[in-house]
């Protein structure tokens, strides 16, 4: 329902698309951290076993301003700062995605998240070894 306004927002939109389309090799390529790559591998394995999300409706994508970023909840901000440092990010931004998900596996207790409305937060950035934008971490409330 919302169109991406920049490269990080586009990557987040593609995260949802590749996940729902079952294109896990492309999903894997979006990620800059090993933990997210492992997650993509696990998601693909779940898909092969019939455990997958049925639908995403992305309502809004937004990139936080520098002011919004530094004025976030302090516990989340500390996690993000640690992830920025751990991944040696030289340039970064934070994208929020408000969406609705249909996840039958969650209803059956096979997934962490079931049907519902969610906001995910994506740390996107570049580092010295990979000058392409990547998604480095994903957080949710």
């Amino acid at each position: 329902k919302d169109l991406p306004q920049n490269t990080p927002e586009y990557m987040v939109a593609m995260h949802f698309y590749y996940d729902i389309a079952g294109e896990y090799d492309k999903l894997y390529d979006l990620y800059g951290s090993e933990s997210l790559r492992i997650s993509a591998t696990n998601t693909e394995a779940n898909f092969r076993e019939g455990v997958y999300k049925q639908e995403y409706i992305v309502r809004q994508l937004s990139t936080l301003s520098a002011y919004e970023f530094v004025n976030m909840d302090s516990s989340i901000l500390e996690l993000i700062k640690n992830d920025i440092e751990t991944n040696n990010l030289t340039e970064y931004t934070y994208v929020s995605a408000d969406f609705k998900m249909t996840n039958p596996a969650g209803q059956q207790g096979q997934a962490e998240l079931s049907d519902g409305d969610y906001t995910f937060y994506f740390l996107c950035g570049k580092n010295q070894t990979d000058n392409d934008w990547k998604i480095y971490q994903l957080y949710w409330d």
Side-chain angles (χ1 to χ4, degrees):
K1 292 190 175 198
D2 190 22
L3 296 175
Q5 301 298 310
N6 53 45
T7 299
E9 288 183 12
Y10 176 77
M11 290 174 35
V12 169
M14 296 312 296
H15 159 86
F16 288 104
Y17 174 76
Y18 293 150
D19 187 14
I20 204 73
E23 296 184 30
Y24 299 105
D25 56 331
K26 293 178 182 175
L27 185 63
Y28 184 90
D29 291 339
L30 285 178
Y31 297 148
S33 68
E34 190 60 27
S35 63
L36 288 179
R37 290 180 181 141
I38 290 168
S39 176
T41 301
N42 292 340
T43 302
E44 181 176 14
N46 289 342
F47 177 79
R48 293 184 191 286
E49 293 177 16
V51 178
Y52 55 88
K53 288 128 189 128
Q54 201 169 44
E55 179 181 48
Y56 284 120
I57 298 173
V58 179
R59 294 189 178 113
Q60 182 176 2
L61 296 172
S62 58
T63 303
L64 272 62
S65 68
Y67 176 79
E68 291 170 313
F69 183 81
V70 298
N71 289 299
M72 293 174 65
D73 177 90
S74 61
S75 61
I76 293 174
L77 187 56
E78 287 305 311
L79 284 172
I80 294 168
K81 286 180 179 179
N82 184 51
D83 288 330
I84 290 168
E85 186 177 306
T86 299
N87 291 291
N88 299 313
L89 299 184
T90 56
E91 188 175 347
Y92 56 88
T93 193
Y94 196 59
V95 176
S96 68
D98 295 322
F99 65 97
K100 179 179 181 168
M101 176 174 58
T102 304
N103 188 5
Q107 294 172 348
Q108 300 166 4
Q110 297 172 312
E112 191 170 355
L113 300 174
S114 60
D115 293 357
D117 297 316
Y118 295 94
T119 301
F120 278 8
Y121 304 96
F122 296 81
L123 174 62
C124 302
K126 298 179 181 184
N127 64 27
Q128 292 176 342
T129 58
D130 190 353
N131 201 30
D132 293 329
W133 281 97
K134 300 278 185 180
I135 298 172
Y136 282 89
Q137 197 51 268
L138 163 61
Y139 318 85
W140 69 84
D141 297 349

